[in-house]
Amino acid sequence: MRKIFFSPIVLCFLSTVFMLSCKKTNADIQENIFDEKASITSQSFNNQVEYAETNLKKITTEIAKLTKDPAFVSFIHSEVSKKFDGEFEVLIDDLKKKSTWSSKLNSKLMNEGLNAFKNIPGQGGGSFNPQIYIPKFQHDEETNTIASTTSNIVGDTILFITYGGGTPTDVDKFQAYYLDENNNLVYWGLVNEEYANNHEVWITAINDLIGGNQKLAVAITSDCMDEYGQPMICSIGGGGGGSGGGGGTTTNPDADPEEMIMQPHPDMNTHTPVNCKIENMSVRVHNEYWVSGGSEIAIRAKLHCYNDRLYGQLFNPPTLVGHKDYTSDQYSGFIGKFIRKFSRYEVNHGSLRLVNYPLQVGWPTDNTTTAPIYFDYVIFERDLFPAGRQFPMRQYRDFINPGDPLSSWAQFYRSQDPAYITNTVKNVDIYTGPSPFPTYYNNRTVNTPADNIFFDLKAF
C-alpha cells in the first residue's frame, strides 16, 4: 500500500479545518434542537407525538434507573399518593423539589427531557408538565382494595410506559419496558388497562390539568369595529386588567382571536336576569386512553340572539350585517374552561356527580327579539400537548328567520378527540313566546342517560 506523507503545515491546516468542522456541526445540532422546539406546534400531530415521546423517554430512563433503590420507590409511592390533582399522579418538577432526591433527579438527560416541554412557542404551545401515574394505586382505591406498597409483578419488576399522545399499539395495549442490570430500558411486552390495574406500571406522560397557559385580559376599542359595528380582527394588547391594551400581539398560545374581540351583550343583567348552572354531571364514554388517567372535562361557549345577528336586528338586505357572537361567562380561549376531572372508575360506572358549575349569570329572559337567548356550547375532553387538532364544531339552527340565510354557529376547541356534546341552551321558548327561565329550565335534563355525557340545568 502506498503511504502518503503530509508536511507539518498541511497537517496543521487539516487539523484546523477538522476542528472548525466539528464546532460547526455541534452548533448545527444545537440549532436543530432549538428549531424543532420552535416549530413543533405547527408540525403534524404524528410529529408532535414523536417529539413528546422522544423527550418523555429521557425522563422515563432516568426515573427507571433510580428505582434500583427501594427508598426511591417508596418515595414515589408516597408522592403519587398525595394525589395533587385527584389521581395517583405526581409532577416530575415537584419531585425535583424534594431535597433528598433533587440532585439525582437533576441529571443532564432529565433536564433535557423536562426543558423540551417548557416555553414551547406557537399556537398550542406553552409550558407543559411531565408526570408519573400509577394506575394500580388508582384502581385499588376506587375498588376499595388495600393498596400494595410494593410491586407485585413477578420478580418485583416495575414496568414503564412512555405515553406521548399517540394511539395504542394494539387496541388498548401499550408497549412496556423494564430496567435491565445495565440500566437499559428493555422491551417487556404489551400492557392493557386490566394488567396495569393489577400490577405496578409507571406511566410517564404530560399532565392535562396543569398547564402554563392563562387567559389574557384585553380591551375592545372602537378601532376593532367595522362600519356596521361588527368586530374585526385587530392587533390585541396583552396582559393587564382589561383596560388600556392597544398594540402588540397576544403571547397566549391558546387565545382565540375571534373570542378576544367579542363584546358582552348590552342587555346582560337586565330584563329579568337569571343565573344558570350545571348541577349534576356524568361522563359515560372514555375519550381519553387509560394511560392518561381520568378525563378532564372542559367547555367553551358564546351567546347569540335569536337570528344570530347584531341585537337580533333585521336588515334589508339581510346580509348587510352578518353573524354576531357575544361573549359568555365561558371565555377561555381554545383550551376551554375546566369543569371537572372524572376518574376512569367514574366513567366506567357512569357515576353522577354534583358539580355546581356556573354557565351564565345575569342572563336576560324577557326580551326574545334583542337579548342573547342562545347559549351555544361545546363540552369536550381537554388535551394540552400534543393537542394535534382544533376541531371546528358547526351546528345549524332549528329556527331560521324568514329571509335570512341558513343560521349556524361554529366553535373550535383544543383536543385530540371529538366533542362529547355540542348543543344550545335557550333561556326562552322562542316558538311560543317568552317563558321565564326558572319555570322553563329549572330541573330540566338537557340530554338522556344514553348519551355520552349527561347533565342537568338549574337556575340559581
Side-chain angles (χ1 to χ4, degrees):
M1 178 181 294
R2 183 179 179 183
K3 294 182 180 181
I4 301 176
F5 295 94
F6 295 102
S7 69
I9 295 177
V10 172
L11 287 173
C12 182
F13 172 76
L14 292 175
S15 176
T16 302
V17 170
F18 176 77
M19 291 175 63
L20 289 175
S21 175
C22 290
K23 184 177 181 180
K24 183 176 185 297
T25 301
N26 290 336
D28 288 343
I29 292 173
Q30 293 300 321
E31 184 177 353
N32 289 338
I33 292 173
F34 175 80
D35 288 345
E36 181 184 24
K37 182 176 181 179
S39 65
I40 190 61
T41 54
S42 63
Q43 296 183 28
S44 69
F45 177 66
N46 288 337
N47 284 353
Q48 290 186 39
V49 170
E50 183 180 0
Y51 176 89
E53 290 185 346
T54 296
N55 290 288
L56 286 171
K57 190 68 174 287
K58 298 174 183 178
I59 297 171
T60 304
T61 300
E62 296 303 277
I63 291 293
K65 292 176 183 177
L66 295 176
T67 58
K68 287 190 172 182
D69 188 338
F72 181 76
V73 176
S74 297
F75 167 65
I76 296 298
H77 287 174
S78 174
E79 293 302 309
V80 299
S81 296
K82 294 176 181 178
K83 299 187 296 182
F84 82 99
D85 64 350
E87 293 194 296
F88 285 84
E89 301 169 341
V90 62
L91 302 182
I92 306 299
D93 277 333
D94 287 346
L95 295 177
K96 292 183 66 178
K97 297 174 184 176
K98 308 297 180 179
S99 58
T100 305
W101 297 98
S102 58
S103 60
K104 292 185 178 181
L105 288 167
N106 203 36
S107 67
K108 180 177 181 294
L109 195 63
M110 173 68 76
N111 289 329
E112 282 182 4
L114 292 173
N115 290 336
F117 298 103
K118 297 186 186 301
N119 301 315
I120 296 177
Q123 191 69 46
S127 292
F128 307 105
N129 295 275
Q131 67 175 20
I132 295 174
Y133 167 52
I134 305 181
K136 174 174 169 48
F137 283 25
Q138 189 70 34
H139 180 263
D140 287 348
E141 179 184 72
E142 292 170 350
T143 57
N144 294 317
T145 304
I146 298 176
S148 172
T149 56
T150 59
S151 172
N152 59 4
I153 297 176
V154 176
D156 289 332
T157 299
I158 298 174
L159 295 186
F160 302 92
I161 293 176
T162 298
Y163 178 62
T167 56
T169 302
D170 180 16
V171 188
D172 67 339
K173 298 178 181 178
F174 291 83
Q175 297 180 10
Y177 296 79
Y178 70 94
L179 189 73
D180 69 8
E181 61 276 5
N182 296 317
N183 283 341
N184 297 314
L185 285 178
V186 179
Y187 179 68
W188 183 86
L190 296 178
V191 168
N192 61 14
E193 183 175 11
E194 181 182 2
Y195 186 91
N197 285 342
N198 294 283
H199 301 81
E200 189 158 345
V201 180
W202 292 14
I203 300 168
T204 308
I206 297 295
N207 183 278
D208 277 328
L209 189 59
I210 309 298
N213 303 323
Q214 300 294 329
K215 180 192 78 172
L216 292 181
V218 297
I220 304 300
T221 69
S222 59
D223 294 336
C224 285
M225 301 298 161
D226 65 16
E227 59 184 306
Y228 303 114
Q230 291 291 91
M232 301 184 298
I233 302 300
C234 307
S235 60
I236 302 297
S243 61
T249 57
T250 174
T251 57
N252 183 351
D254 277 301
D256 181 348
E258 293 184 2
E259 183 182 53
M260 293 177 75
I261 59 174
M262 279 184 207
Q263 294 174 303
H265 193 284
D267 285 355
M268 299 305 292
N269 296 301
T270 65
H271 297 292
T272 317
V274 295
N275 305 328
C276 174
K277 70 177 180 179
I278 296 176
E279 184 166 73
N280 301 290
M281 175 179 281
S282 65
V283 179
R284 280 82 184 282
V285 173
H286 291 294
N287 275 0
E288 187 82 285
Y289 289 120
W290 62 268
V291 286
S292 291
S295 295
E296 293 79 16
I297 306 301
I299 184 173
R300 293 200 69 197
K302 48 192 173 184
L303 296 171
H304 293 110
C305 295
Y306 82 102
N307 61 358
D308 294 338
R309 295 186 180 279
L310 180 70
Y311 309 141
Q313 297 177 27
L314 299 178
F315 289 83
N316 188 20
T319 55
L320 182 63
V321 174
H323 187 90
K324 174 66 176 180
D325 300 328
Y326 292 101
T327 186
S328 77
D329 287 349
Q330 304 309 312
Y331 186 112
S332 60
F334 295 122
I335 201 170
K337 272 196 171 181
F338 179 68
I339 298 177
R340 187 185 188 275
K341 184 172 184 176
F342 284 79
S343 70
R344 300 287 299 180
Y345 181 86
E346 289 175 322
V347 176
N348 288 337
H349 292 80
S351 304
L352 188 64
R353 295 294 185 242
L354 179 68
V355 296
N356 276 328
Y357 182 81
L359 291 176
Q360 188 65 46
V361 300
W363 199 5
T365 63
D366 63 1
N367 191 339
T368 63
T369 57
T370 64
I373 62 175
Y374 286 130
F375 178 91
D376 295 317
Y377 66 90
V378 55
I379 294 178
F380 58 98
E381 202 286 320
R382 184 177 77 182
D383 293 305
L384 294 184
F385 182 82
R389 296 160 286 186
Q390 297 165 12
F391 281 82
M393 302 303 299
R394 181 166 291 280
Q395 292 287 97
Y396 291 94
R397 294 286 182 215
D398 55 5
F399 174 82
I400 304 172
N401 186 67
D404 274 3
L406 184 64
S407 182
S408 67
W409 60 275
Q411 188 77 272
F412 288 76
Y413 63 94
R414 186 168 300 290
S415 179
Q416 298 176 20
D417 311 294
Y420 279 111
I421 183 173
T422 305
N423 212 333
T424 296
V425 174
K426 298 185 293 287
N427 69 355
V428 293
D429 184 352
I430 62 176
Y431 298 107
T432 61
S435 178
F437 180 90
T439 300
Y440 183 66
Y441 269 106
N442 204 23
N443 297 312
R444 182 177 185 273
T445 298
V446 174
N447 45 1
T448 71
D451 291 334
N452 291 343
I453 197 166
F454 170 90
F455 58 89
D456 53 24
L457 294 176
K458 293 287 180 68
F460 72 100

